[in-house]
Amino acid sequence: MQVNAYAAPAAGEPLVPTTIERREVGANDVLIDIEFAGICHSDIHTVNGDWGPQAFPLVPGHEIVGIVREVGSDVSTHAVGDRVGVGCMVNSCGRCENCTNGDEQYCVEGNVATYGATDRDGTITQGGYSTHVVVDADFVLSVPEGLDPAAATPLLCAGITTYAPLRKWGVGPGSKVAVVGLGGLGHMAVKIAHALGAHVTVLSQSLKKQEDGLRLGADEYYATSDETTFEDLAGRFDLIINTVSAKIAIDSYLGLLAVDGTMVNVGAPPEPLEVNVFSLIGGRRSFAGSMIGGIALTQEMLDFCAEHNIGSEIEVIEAAKVNEAYERVLASDVRYRFVIDAKTLA
């Protein structure tokens, strides 16, 4: 079926209206009428070529919420009329150790990303800046009642990207967590860490978002442009979540970790990050990375957010403003995620 969409025609070029072909609904497929599609910084990196060459034209978008229109004959997990979500991947091999352990995001053969990847039929996947999508039912999430569908949309990337390391490193009551950056990822990390019972500190370049940070659940807020911050907070944190997609002085932040503390990078800057090994061995510290979670963990995250009334702070836009939204994301002029109203694509 042909559907309306917005696509990048080439690297670095503005997105334009287009039509794309969605495959017919197979036995284990779900056809979704998209309601909302989130704009992630990853979309901008991808269409600008920051992370390598892509197959263009390309429809971005891996934060998708919508209503099931049709299900295949073998689908029993979702029904017509259900509100569902799709995140950053739409398939994996399903056989390797990582897939069978629920870590489909780390599929040995490589998971099939929601856009810009080779799908099972050999075509290039196209993302959520469109009116409809067809997805394997095993990669479709249930959006719980009580979650606002627009505010829930960024949870499919920003939510799980921050929930995954918080759960992996056992954050709970008594944990001391620092969040570097209060943007699309950072504001979700603050909300979720707070709901898990942690003492949360935001580390941002300035104090201009301090009021927001405290409102969202932070206990403390410090400016990293103030050199005394790194002296005052030395050795304090069990876990630091770095959400920024820019190069920072990693060694300075590692010094804020307690013994056995871990700094986890979820932001993905295009340039390498430098680490002095003595910043690690001096306190038995770890420097780690984390991406999204598997399907089961993503569903757990959605249920957790529904239980704790957590949604993303959003600005809903019409599709025609997507290029303006990209410019505003790069200028840090959004609090804190843009969400496209898919009705404006019809």
Side-chain angles (χ1 to χ4, degrees), residues 104-332:
E104 299 94 341
Q105 74 275 28
Y106 301 126
C107 176
V108 172
E109 296 183 15
N111 74 68
V112 179
T114 306
Y115 64 88
T118 303
D119 207 348
R120 64 190 185 195
D121 60 1
T123 62
I124 301 301
T125 54
Q126 303 292 343
Y129 298 7
S130 58
T131 55
H132 303 80
V133 66
V134 178
V135 180
D136 186 292
D138 294 339
F139 289 80
V140 176
L141 290 307
S142 296
V143 177
E145 291 185 13
L147 280 179
D148 174 81
T153 301
L155 300 181
L156 277 304
C157 176
I160 186 57
T161 296
T162 50
Y163 185 82
L166 290 167
R167 293 285 284 119
K168 169 65 178 176
W169 276 273
V171 168
S175 299
K176 295 180 179 179
V177 175
V179 177
V180 182
L182 192 70
L185 289 173
H187 91 286
M188 291 307 311
V190 169
K191 286 189 172 190
I192 294 170
H194 173 74
L196 287 167
H199 183 97
V200 184
T201 300
V202 173
L203 303 174
S204 185
Q205 284 186 310
S206 72
L207 298 179
K208 66 180 182 180
K209 297 180 182 178
Q210 183 176 30
E211 184 177 340
D212 275 4
L214 298 176
R215 174 179 59 84
L216 295 171
D219 299 284
E220 299 181 77
Y221 198 109
Y222 289 84
T224 55
S225 56
D226 184 344
E227 293 182 4
T228 63
T229 290
F230 292 94
E231 299 172 5
D232 295 342
L233 301 180
R236 176 177 295 193
F237 301 109
D238 304 306
L239 184 70
I240 299 175
I241 306 288
N242 177 23
T243 72
V244 300
S245 293
K247 192 172 183 179
I248 64 172
I250 296 296
D251 292 308
S252 297
Y253 290 88
L254 290 172
L256 304 181
L257 291 170
V259 171
D260 289 328
T262 300
M263 180 170 177
V264 183
N265 239 69
V266 295
E271 59 275 305
L273 298 174
E274 299 173 357
V275 178
N276 186 325
V277 70
F278 289 101
S279 299
L280 300 173
I281 63 178
R284 205 164 56 209
R285 303 181 180 106
S286 299
F287 182 42
S290 177
M291 51 188 292
I292 56 171
I295 295 301
L297 189 68
T298 305
Q299 188 63 61
E300 176 186 305
M301 177 274 304
L302 288 170
D303 295 340
F304 177 88
C305 288
E307 179 184 352
H308 293 273
N309 195 30
I310 294 173
S312 183
E313 305 289 304
I314 61 169
E315 181 177 334
V316 179
I317 61 168
E318 59 186 62
K321 293 186 176 180
V322 64
N323 293 304
E324 176 187 332
Y326 274 25
E327 293 176 1
R328 289 180 56 192
V329 170
L330 294 174
S332 298

